[in-house]
Amino acid sequence: MNPSEVQLWLAPMEGVVDSIMRDFLTGFGGIDHCVTEFIRVCDQTITDEVFYRECPELQRGCQTSSGVPITVQLLGSDIDSLSRNALRAVVLGARHIDLNFGCPAKTVNRHDGGAALLKSPDRLFQIISGIRARLPAEIPLSAKIRLGFESPEDCFENAAALESAGASHLTIHCRTKKQMYAPSADWTWIARIKQQVKIPIIANGDIFSVQDFLRCREITGCDAFMIGRGALRDPLLFSKIKGQVAEDAVIKGPMIRDFFQRNCEVSPHFAQARTKQWLKNMSLSSAAVLSFFDKIKVITEPAQFERELQRWDQ
Ligand SMILES: Cc1cc2nc3c(=O)[nH]c(=O)nc-3n(C[C@H](O)[C@H](O)[C@H](O)COP(=O)(O)O)c2cc1C
């Protein structure tokens, strides 16, 4: 398959990929799908305000300004409550629901959510089949997993359980929960899972460059990929993969200033924090951004921060 035909997903990243970031990144092109940050579901019904806060795009056809569809991601384990809230999200405009079974955070796992559920394929089956039974048939229900909680070998049973429960597809972050973010993602597991499971698999983990993408595609045989941290380091990575821009293209200072301005709608301090966070990520792949970031990271006043952004002439 030609790289221009692959499906590219922007990964959900709590505290980073909110609606403003989704709008910016999809504006650069190359992204086919986005996922919201996880919305935690306990035993209560989530208010519409929370849904709209996490996914304001629900009020605009559940897509970004550039028309990229957004999947609403839920995290929890209470089948009744998850079903009720998934259904509510659909009533509000969601067109695709994803379940998070990959979050490694201790508090989330202690409360029986995220990657903790990878210890039990039976529970994965019950959760997905329980929600599936309550959702309209035309709404896809997918799952995002890690290879396992402790052992990557668990991926086979977990993937089979999710498939037989009716998951439309699986996104697999190729590490266990125990591995957190090291060692490197091991994409070879996906090729093995694909021999046993027929639903589409989206490969995820450690795609930071076009070369990484090509290797991941070669190893996994997938035609859909999800990229998280790589998208922050190089916002043009998706369009580079699709051959829409040159591999050495960089984003320009005015775009960062726009990002800061957009976030000022929340508050200037929030805008400063989010812009620093993004520059810090970009500095991992650009010496020019690194030297600028080193200069501005100590600034605490948004007005001064904005002046420095104005002077930056990348
Ligand atoms: C700061 C941060 C927040 C994340 N939040 C979520 C989340 O809300 N839901 C989710 O399924 N995964 C979440 N993830 C995991 C990513 O979606 C992705 O699976 C992981 O970072 C590996 O992909 P990457 O190497 O392309 O970043 C998060 C990761 C990071 C670094």
Side-chain angles (χ1 to χ4, degrees), residues 9-154:
W9 290 68
L10 172 62
M13 286 192 276
E14 201 241 338
V16 187
V17 181
D18 59 6
S19 63
I20 298 177
M21 185 60 105
R22 287 194 287 273
D23 237 37
F24 260 78
L25 291 178
T26 56
F28 295 127
I31 299 176
D32 299 290
H33 302 271
C34 294
V35 185
T36 64
E37 300 162 83
F38 70 75
I39 303 175
R40 188 112 166 238
V41 174
C42 302
D43 51 2
Q44 283 143 4
T45 302
I46 295 167
T47 61
D48 293 357
E49 286 70 25
V50 170
F51 275 121
Y52 289 142
R53 188 188 66 211
E54 297 299 321
C55 188
E57 298 97 333
L58 283 169
Q59 291 160 295
R60 307 188 289 268
C62 209
Q63 56 185 8
T64 66
S65 309
S66 31
V68 176
I70 299 163
T71 293
V72 171
Q73 188 184 68
L74 302 180
L75 180 151
S77 56
D78 183 303
I79 299 169
D80 238 29
S81 186
L82 282 168
S83 306
R84 213 172 344 109
N85 285 295
L87 214 46
R88 185 68 200 151
V90 169
V91 169
L92 295 179
R95 288 182 281 163
H96 177 171
I97 304 288
D98 184 71
L99 257 285
N100 177 324
F101 297 123
C103 180
K106 279 204 171 73
T107 36
V108 167
N109 291 173
R110 238 194 341 263
H111 290 96
D112 201 27
L117 291 154
L118 298 175
K119 292 178 193 168
S120 167
D122 285 351
R123 294 198 61 211
L124 294 178
F125 176 85
Q126 285 158 10
I127 292 169
I128 290 295
S129 58
I131 305 170
R132 184 61 278 170
R134 305 256 296 268
L135 276 184
E138 71 275 14
I139 302 294
L141 174 66
S142 57
K144 183 163 177 285
I145 63 175
R146 284 179 173 242
L147 291 173
F149 191 83
E150 289 200 24
S151 164
E153 298 279 347
D154 291 344

Side-chain angles (χ1 to χ4, degrees), residues 1-9 29-33 210 213-214 217 222-225 237-245 247:
M1 180 183 271
N2 190 308
S4 65
E5 290 165 18
V6 296
Q7 290 287 301
L8 298 181
W9 290 68
I31 299 176
D32 299 290
H33 302 271
V210 176
F213 157 76
L214 291 170
R217 189 176 62 158
C222 284
D223 50 23
F225 304 84
L237 180 55
F238 300 91
S239 38
K240 289 179 183 175
I241 287 172
K242 293 202 170 166
Q244 295 164 348
V245 297
E247 268 189 55

